[in-house]
Structures are given as structure tokens and as C-alpha cells.
Amino acid sequence: MLAIALSTFKEIYRKKIFHFIGILTILYLILLSIIFRYIGKNINMNDSVISMISGFSSIISILGFYFSSMLVAFLTVMLSIGIVSSEIESGTVLTILTKPIKRSSYIIGKYFGTAVLIILYSAILFIAVILLSTMTKISIIETFGIVALAKGFLFFILEPLTILALALYGSTIFKTLNNGILIIAIYILGTIGGVIEQVGTFTSNSSLSTLGIISSLISPFEVVYRKMISTIFTSLGAFSPLMGFGMTGGASTTPSGWMIVYVFAYLIFFILMSIMNFRKKDIG
């Protein structure tokens, strides 16, 4: 299993798509630094210090972490949609499985090899966003604290790891292109569902809230992002997904602890389903 994980890590690291996303990440961070600097220059020094720090740190964190989570999700999808299917299509998997390697070890190794790379990338991006905030007159670290940010990071990496589990399962069933279309569609469903749920909550529309919750059960990725933001914002004593933009009111849409338990169950379920499906798959 460790050999498969290491091989997967090296294989992904050498892929052109990984290097392309690396360049895209650099461009994104440059753009983000420009946005942060603009926000910092437009701080009204006549405002209350506490209000100023909370408000602008909220804007910075929501902007930075939201687009960063989307970038990590994009990386995860691109690296994982063909994690198994591409090797089946090329015949590489036949060479690997002729060695004394169990099919379950192959799947687990594929997952963990990709997961390690995604976690490393996520950590670099997460830290970069925090460091870029110091370019402004406000520091995310000073506002929210290291402990809150560390807890938030755990949810920051949970989202791509959950996407990876689903993509791994899809890769044992579908061809690479078909799996990519499916995973992207499910991700978009979750994003739209999250917006619908929040709108339903803030407008007290139970039908919209229910529709959003159902979407989140199918695609719980956006839920994890909201949990990350709420975890960071609790250091200020309150959370609203729109508070960073100066909007308040409505009930909180912070995901419950049970929803996070569901996300972990979702992740484990699709890893197990990947193992079971690959064991029965005819790859000859």
C-alpha cells in the first residue's frame, strides 16, 4: 500500500496538469495580494478599531478562503478523475497487479498518495492566504487567532479529501472524461444547494432550506466550507456567512456537528465502495 501511495504521489507530481495548476495558483495569489492591498488602503481610520478589524478581516478571510477552497477543489478533481480509470485504459494496472498487491491495497494506496499531495498543496495555499493578509493593515492571525485558524484548516482539507473519495469511486466505474463531468456536476450541485439553503434560511423559506439540505446530502462539499468559516468566525463570538460583507440578520446557517459526522461517513463510504467495486471489476 505504501509503495502504491508513493508511486501515486510521484506520478501526480510529474503530471503537466499539476504544474499548470501551480502556475494558476501563483497568478491567483498575485491577484489576491492586489485585492488585499486595495482593501487595506481603503480602511476608514475614523471607524472604531474593533469594528474595523473585524469587518475587514471578515472580508479578507471570506474572499481568500472561498476562492482558495474552489482552487483546491479544482486541483482535486483534475488529479483524481482518472486516478484508476486512466491506468485501466492504458493497461498499467495489469502490470501493477501482477505483483503481490491486493486490490484493496491498490485503491487505498491511490487514495492516500493523492491525499498527501492535496494536503500539502492545501497547507501551502492556506498559509499563503494568511501571510498575504499581513500585507494589509489587518492581520487574519491577530483577529481570529492561531487556534481558530488551525481548526479551520482541518475543515479546509476535509473538503478536497471528500471530493477525492467520490472521484475515486467514480474512477472505478466510469471512464476518465465521464467521471470528470459527473464530479464537476455534483460539486456545482452542492455549491448551488448551499446558496439555496442560505437564502431559504435568511428569508425563512422552509421549502428552499429543505431543497438546499437535500442538495447538501448529495454533495456535502460546500457544507464543509461553511463549517470552516464558522469555526474561524466563532473566535469573534458570532457567525453569519454574510457578516464579512456588512450584512447581518437571519438565522445562522452553520452546519451542525451531525452534518460533519455525515461528511466523514460519506468519505469513508465511498472509499469502501471503491474497494468493493474494484475487487469485482474485470480489468483484463
Side-chain angles (χ1 to χ4, degrees), residues 11 53 82 99 115 212 234 282:
E11 178 187 345
I53 291 176
K99 303 174 183 179
T234 49
D282 181 10

Side-chain angles (χ1 to χ4, degrees), residues 6-120:
L6 182 60
S7 174
T8 301
F9 182 93
K10 292 180 179 179
E11 178 187 345
I12 292 177
Y13 182 77
R14 290 193 294 263
K15 284 186 175 181
K16 291 182 180 179
I17 185 64
F18 182 75
H19 298 153
F20 169 75
I21 293 176
I23 295 173
L24 187 64
T25 302
I26 293 173
L27 295 176
Y28 161 71
L29 291 175
I30 292 174
L31 177 61
L32 196 63
S33 66
I34 294 173
I35 294 174
F36 284 1
R37 186 173 291 275
Y38 174 80
I39 292 174
K41 287 182 178 180
N42 285 274
I43 292 177
N44 184 357
M45 297 306 294
N46 295 321
D47 292 338
S48 162
V49 175
I50 296 178
S51 176
M52 177 187 69
I53 291 176
S54 299
F56 281 94
S57 289
S58 299
I59 294 173
I60 288 173
S61 61
I62 287 178
L63 283 176
F65 293 138
Y66 180 73
F67 290 111
S68 295
S69 68
M70 291 185 67
L71 190 57
V72 173
F74 175 71
L75 170 72
T76 304
V77 172
M78 291 297 101
L79 295 183
S80 61
I81 54 175
I83 191 172
V84 175
S85 58
S86 62
E87 293 195 346
I88 293 177
E89 293 167 7
S90 65
T92 306
V93 69
L94 294 174
T95 304
I96 296 174
L97 294 180
T98 54
K99 303 174 183 179
I101 298 176
K102 295 181 179 180
R103 291 197 176 195
S104 58
S105 297
Y106 172 82
I107 291 295
I108 295 173
K110 281 290 182 181
Y111 181 85
F112 280 104
T114 308
V116 169
L117 189 60
I118 290 172
I119 290 173
L120 289 175

